[in-house]
Amino acid sequence: MTARTTDIEKAAGVLRAGGLVAFPTETVYGLGANAEDPAAVARIFQVKGRPPSHPLIVHLGGAEHLDDWVEDVPATARLLAEHFWPGPLTLVLRRGRRVPLEATGGLETVAVRVPDHPVALALLSAFGGGVTAPSANRFGSVSPTTANHVRAELGNAVDFVLDGGPCEVGVESTIVDTTGGTPSILRPGGVTREDLEAVLGYPLAVPTASGVRVPGQHPSHYAPRARVVLVEPEKVVAEAELAQELGHQVGVFLPASFADAPVKAHAVVAVPGSMAAYARGLYGFLRELDRQGCDLIIASLPAKEGLGLAIANRLRRAAGPRPSSTGNAPRQ
Ligand code: AMP
Ligand code: MG
């Protein structure tokens, strides 16, 4: 589905007037504001319930705009931008003066990317500036991959929702920090580590903890209402049936290798064998199990190669300890 020209114009007008626009990208739907309007940027944090210290990504209409927004672009960053933009790769660089501190959570670095989606690119072109956007969901919850997910979660808190159909990639962008000597992956995502390494010609570090404030590094993030429990693939069926017998409403992520196993549970998701299809469906599956009233989701981690690294990262966070004492309450 492609948004109509009138919708793009309307959305660009909302951004110019300081409003918030939810828009599709190839990764997930973003909650966008004019990156140069601190009041509009502040509203993003308010609507998401996101702590103001957590930085956003500035979306640009093309790699040719990069130097307007950042300073000191290292050769590695140029190389990566050349290869992967437009695409699901976010580069962390030194903040240019055009970027207000509100958008970077007070950091002197800024995350930038050029999304690979016709509607996002049309919006960026019609608007003409940078659009700062995190995922269009409440802080900590499951990212939206359809316009309906955004409407269901944020409703009237957004001034305009651009519908561009379901997102192709389905998990967020890979974030690479290029401000240090050697680039490192801050968050695995739509561009695989293997693809990055093939272009760079050397192995990349994927730090488990870092001094940089990245919400994706919180123990609990990307989380549905239901509690998520991870077990070995061969134990998924037995654990799910036991929990169901104990009175839980169990949702099962049935691994592709066990696709034919009969399983007694409240709801079953057949996990796609292809990692691209799994990534595309992941957040929709989690939302669907919530919708069906599951209170517990039993899943296993895919092998951490290719897109499996990003999927495993999101599932581990979805299964992370929850801030609330009940464990199951939806977070604001
Ligand atoms: P989201 O988490 O989907 O809401 O989108 C924003 C992502 O970009 C978060 O994971 C941010 O922490 C990350 N990010 C933005 N700016 C920076 C930065 N300067 N350094 C590190 N990560 C950043
Ligand atoms: Mg997010």
Side-chain angles (χ1 to χ4, degrees):
M1 188 193 296
T2 47
R4 286 184 321 212
T5 320
T6 48
D7 286 340
I8 302 280
E9 286 302 332
K10 187 170 171 199
V14 169
L15 291 175
R16 269 181 226 115
L20 299 186
V21 171
F23 64 100
T25 77
E26 78 281 32
T27 60
V28 301
Y29 273 71
L31 180 61
N34 175 0
E36 292 172 274
D37 180 341
V41 174
R43 251 189 85 207
I44 292 180
F45 289 93
Q46 206 190 328
V47 165
K48 271 189 72 93
R50 175 164 165 136
S53 59
H54 291 288
L56 310 175
I57 295 172
V58 177
H59 294 73
L60 305 177
E64 67 277 14
H65 302 302
L66 181 62
D67 293 281
D68 299 339
W69 296 88
V70 302
E71 277 165 20
D72 303 336
V73 182
T76 22
R78 291 225 187 265
L79 179 72
L80 293 176
E82 208 173 281
H83 268 85
F84 296 104
W85 283 357
L89 176 70
T90 296
L91 296 173
V92 174
L93 290 154
R94 275 172 47 81
R95 179 178 72 93
R97 264 175 300 174
R98 225 172 145 171
V99 183
L101 284 168
E102 281 80 0
T104 70
L107 295 173
E108 285 304 330
T109 54
V110 62
V112 285
R113 99 172 176 100
V114 178
D116 187 14
H117 192 292
V119 174
L121 291 172
L123 175 65
L124 288 161
S125 157
F127 173 59
V131 172
T132 192
S135 49
N137 57 293
R138 306 262 180 218
F139 182 64
S141 80
V142 178
S143 301
T145 50
T146 68
N148 276 342
H149 293 166
V150 179
R151 291 187 196 107
E153 191 160 340
L154 298 181
N156 295 336
V158 189
D159 300 308
F160 194 67
V161 180
L162 261 179
D163 192 339
C167 301
E168 268 294 303
V169 176
V171 291
E172 294 81 354
S173 59
T174 304
I175 303 180
V176 174
D177 186 355
T178 54
T179 55
T182 343
S184 63
I185 297 179
L186 297 181
R187 173 178 76 185
V191 169
T192 67
R193 175 189 188 160
E194 293 85 343
D195 285 346
L196 290 165
E197 290 175 347
V199 168
L200 291 170
Y202 51 84
L204 273 176
V206 187
T208 46
S210 112
V212 187
R213 289 165 282 183
V214 181
Q217 290 177 350
H218 278 210
S220 172
H221 210 78
Y222 314 112
R225 259 196 322 274
R227 193 156 64 87
V228 178
V229 171
L230 299 172
V231 301
E232 294 302 318
E234 58 279 8
K235 296 199 175 134
V236 166
V237 172
E239 291 288 338
E241 291 188 342
L242 179 63
Q244 186 74 28
E245 269 168 39
L246 290 172
H248 283 285
Q249 297 299 310
V250 179
V252 189
F253 267 37
L254 192 62
S257 44
F258 294 87
D260 298 330
V263 42
K264 286 191 222 82
H266 184 66
V268 179
V269 166
V271 169
S274 126
M275 286 299 116
Y278 191 179
R280 196 177 305 127
L282 177 65
Y283 292 139
F285 300 153
L286 292 171
R287 281 175 186 269
E288 176 58 20
L289 293 183
D290 268 350
R291 199 193 61 78
Q292 291 193 32
C294 297
D295 64 279
L296 182 66
I297 295 173
I298 306 282
S300 62
L301 296 179
K304 296 185 188 75
E305 355 167 299
L307 280 173
L309 186 67
I311 297 168
N313 170 277
R314 305 306 188 268
L315 283 173
R316 255 189 288 109
R317 256 108 207 186
R322 305 282 171 96
S324 89
S325 54
T326 61
N328 289 338
R331 265 92 41 73
Q332 297 304 307

